Amino acid sequence: MRFEAADWAVVPLDNPLAHDPSIIGAKAAHLARAAMAGLPVLPGFVLVPASRVSGATIGPEPPRTGHEALHAAWRTLAEERDTPRPLVVRSSSRHEDSAESSMAGHFDSVLDVRGWEDFVSAVRTVLASARRITPLRPTAEQPPTGDDMAVLVQPMLTSAVGGVVFGADPVEGRTDRIMVSAVRGGPDQLVGGGTQGTRYQLTRYARVVGGDSAAHDGPLSRGQLVRLVSLARKTQRLFGSPQDMEFGFDGEGRLWLFQARPITAMTRRPPRGARLLGPGPVAETLPGVLQPLEEDLWLTPMSQGLTLALDIAGAAPRRRLRGLPVVRTVRGRAVADLRLLGVVPPAHPLLDRVNPAPGARRAAAAWRVGRLRSALPLLALDLMADVDRALAEFPPPAEMLSGWLVDAVAWGRQTLSALHAQESLAGALLRADHGATAAGEALAELAEGRSRNLTDEQLIARHPVVLTLLPPALAARPPLPATDPVTALPRGVGVLPAREGLRLRIRWVQEMQVRMLAQLADRLAGGHGTLPLSRLALLRWDEVVRAAQGGGLPADLADRVSRPDAGTLPVAFRLADGVPVAAPTGASSAPDQGQGAGGGFGAGTAWDGQGQRPERPVLIVASLDPALAPLLPDLAGLVAETGSPLSHLAVLAREYHVPTAVGVIGATVRFPAGTPLTVDGGSGVVTGRDVPRIASVTAGQEPAA
């Protein structure tokens, strides 16, 4: 862009005007405040549009403008003691380095600038970058322009060791930790993403508590780490929050601060005592995203049934079972309390061993469990017979009155609670005498039906066991899966053990509810067009009952939207302000273990940045090149073979909540485009999407506290 010295004013960093980020930009303003507070900041000046400081009287004298003022300021820095020295020319936009958005690496910096002509060219380069790079955030009121940009000029320091120090751990969300990443040389090679660097995790008293295994042989000495921790604490006191800083030690061992800005996108940290949740076994029954009515129809009865089973088995205190739902939804997906179901060991096994309460509770339940073990098969047969009889007695939905339709769905909710309770107890208490399953019988029926050229609807009507192969949904039913031509012969549902028979009835009751509600949706629409079942799914059950009783549909139904599919949830996680934070599962993840750079947990399809972008892309790259920043919006994950969690692109990825793993060796070769992946930005683990399921009460384990 055009640069005329007469249009620009020179504001030295020691001028009080330099403390105002609205005038000189946040980057320069932070350095000016740090220098005023006595922190080790190099001298310098800032070029700002003259109109921005017109009439300013703050300071000993107004800012000077014009070619002579600019040339004099340049000479003061570039010819110290008549010895030429290089300069660094950097951006200081009013849009970067804020508490909401760092825009790290968005604008140009020019290093090793020598001579007047090169200096003018560097200023033009920095100013041009304001127009060339469009901000990634679509919510920005206005894109940055040259008028928003100021230019920071300082001497260029040749660093013996440089890097980045964070006054908190943004990946783990810990404010009691300080993160340092350092390399030999200047910090530019680290923040650019091309160099891994040596990582140190320190306490606020400079004790090393984590980081790279080779940190003891790293570029920083113990004394230098102590000085960096002191610098981090001083900047936090000065600015009121932990800061993201670039630093360098010169050849004489002096520490210099090159940049300080607020840490953005700190990972949320779950509160103490947060429940350990996960899809676990409930995902087998309800694998997809549940809409509100689906949640009320199917998830609530499941939670009630599992609660009853855990209570009967004495697996948890009744007070806890009453206060916490065993099953709930997170991002629309069904998840269970893994500790309540006994899926994971207790948090404090030694305390539980000496605590008499769990043992006494299980001893009190032993008598009824013992009686139930012998009675459960007959109880299950009675319940299945009652369910089969009730389902057979329902006339076609079109012949039923609206009130009868509602009663049938309500009966289904109550029955599902009983079925889930007995199914869970059957899995825990009964031993199957053979391996027959509802899914196996369904596949056999499907193969035989396909050999007779039966359609999906004919197959379901003739052999409803095949519904086991389809998840319940208040939407268009997907087609039945393909099957191999060679499979076992069907033997009939009568050969299924109690638990499998109960599972099958659960699916039949859900299908009955879907058909009743489809008929009810047609009637609720009346003469005002149609009401698709997928729209009815946006209501709650009490709203459906109210509408069926003549109360009308909610006025805001047209404005409601379906819950989106936000991707796969971690196997185990805790919630922090409603956001899932993955928890370690103890499974070995090598060689897919990298270094977590934050952003949460995500799942999608590997993409190399070329060709058609998948619906949920996980970008696989060799290094964290800042030029990749425009690709960040809507990424499901970011995996890099090298790079630091404190680099510019990693900072931006956290701001966009993109799960990021760095240091994943051979990622570009091992994860070709199209590979289904999950990325844990906390641990750095990259795995296939189909993660191993955890066994539980419903998978045959006995409930445990």
Side-chain angles (χ1 to χ4, degrees), residues 517-537:
L517 287 169
Q519 180 62 223
L520 188 61
D522 289 340
R523 298 183 188 181
L524 291 177
H528 305 287
T530 60
L531 178 61
L533 197 53
S534 58
R535 297 298 300 171
L536 189 71

Side-chain angles (χ1 to χ4, degrees), residues 51 82 307 441 508 519 644:
S51 58
D82 298 327
T307 300
E441 181 67 20
W508 286 351
Q519 180 62 223
S644 165

Side-chain angles (χ1 to χ4, degrees), residues 631-694:
L631 301 179
L632 287 176
D634 302 323
L635 283 182
L638 174 62
V639 178
E641 294 181 336
T642 63
S644 165
L646 308 184
S647 67
H648 282 161
L649 194 68
V651 170
L652 289 174
R654 284 195 293 275
E655 291 181 15
Y656 279 88
H657 307 294
V658 175
T660 302
V662 301
V664 182
I665 299 173
T668 56
V669 176
R670 292 192 293 115
F671 305 133
T675 305
L677 295 176
T678 62
V679 183
D680 185 351
S683 65
V685 174
V686 182
T687 63
R689 176 179 297 179
D690 295 328
V691 293
R693 286 178 178 153
I694 302 176

Side-chain angles (χ1 to χ4, degrees), residues 215-360:
H216 61 280
D217 296 325
L220 294 174
S221 67
R222 169 65 182 167
Q224 289 173 320
L225 289 173
V226 170
R227 293 165 66 186
L228 286 173
V229 169
S230 176
L231 177 64
R233 297 175 67 176
K234 288 177 180 178
T235 55
Q236 180 171 343
R237 286 195 297 269
L238 175 63
F239 295 107
S241 64
Q243 298 291 294
D244 164 6
M245 294 161 285
E246 294 180 19
F247 69 89
F249 288 96
D250 63 19
E252 299 177 5
R254 292 175 296 187
L255 172 63
W256 295 97
L257 176 64
F258 299 148
Q259 181 172 302
R261 62 185 173 209
I263 297 177
T264 57
M266 281 280 289
T267 298
R268 295 175 174 89
R269 189 167 176 80
R272 290 178 61 88
R275 292 199 290 165
L276 187 66
L277 303 173
V282 298
E284 298 175 4
T285 303
L286 302 172
V289 175
L290 299 175
Q291 301 306 325
L293 184 54
E294 294 172 332
E295 181 179 345
D296 289 348
L297 292 179
W298 303 324
L299 189 95
T300 301
M302 176 188 286
S303 184
Q304 293 170 347
L306 291 177
T307 300
L308 179 59
L310 293 169
D311 183 32
I312 292 173
R318 287 185 176 178
R319 177 175 52 83
R320 188 179 182 195
L321 290 173
R322 290 169 182 164
L324 297 173
V326 179
V327 181
R328 57 166 295 181
T329 56
V330 173
R331 293 180 174 172
R333 292 186 178 272
V335 298
D337 187 314
L338 300 181
R339 294 206 189 279
L340 279 178
L341 292 185
V343 176
V344 295
H348 306 288
L350 180 60
L351 292 178
D352 279 9
R353 184 174 301 175
V354 300
N355 182 6

Side-chain angles (χ1 to χ4, degrees), residues 422-581:
Q422 287 205 22
E423 185 265 341
S424 180
L425 288 170
L429 304 179
L430 302 181
R431 180 176 298 174
D433 56 359
H434 53 77
T437 64
E441 181 67 20
L443 288 173
E445 294 280 13
L446 180 61
E448 189 168 287
R450 289 270 167 79
S451 67
R452 300 179 182 180
N453 296 321
L454 298 180
T455 66
D456 283 7
E457 290 303 321
Q458 289 172 330
L459 276 166
I460 292 173
R462 184 183 180 92
H463 305 293
V465 67
V466 299
L467 287 169
T468 307
L469 304 175
L470 299 174
L474 294 175
R477 182 190 293 127
L480 288 168
T483 183
D484 296 331
V486 180
T487 185
L489 296 175
R491 302 170 60 194
V493 298
V495 303
L496 297 177
R499 187 189 182 200
E500 290 297 318
L502 291 166
R503 282 185 168 183
L504 183 57
R505 270 66 181 189
I506 289 172
R507 185 64 188 90
W508 286 351
V509 171
Q510 292 168 340
E511 183 67 16
M512 178 275 295
Q513 292 176 312
V514 172
R515 296 185 180 188
M516 299 295 179
L517 287 169
Q519 180 62 223
L520 188 61
D522 289 340
R523 298 183 188 181
L524 291 177
H528 305 287
T530 60
L531 178 61
L533 197 53
S534 58
R535 297 298 300 171
L536 189 71
L538 305 183
L539 301 178
R540 288 291 182 179
W541 170 240
D542 59 341
E543 292 177 318
V544 173
V545 174
R546 192 179 307 117
Q549 292 174 346
L553 295 170
D556 65 340
L557 178 57
D559 299 325
R560 300 187 189 185
V561 296
S562 301
R563 290 172 175 171
D565 186 353
T568 307
L569 291 170
V571 173
F573 62 90
R574 292 180 174 87
L575 290 177
D577 298 328
V579 177
V581 178

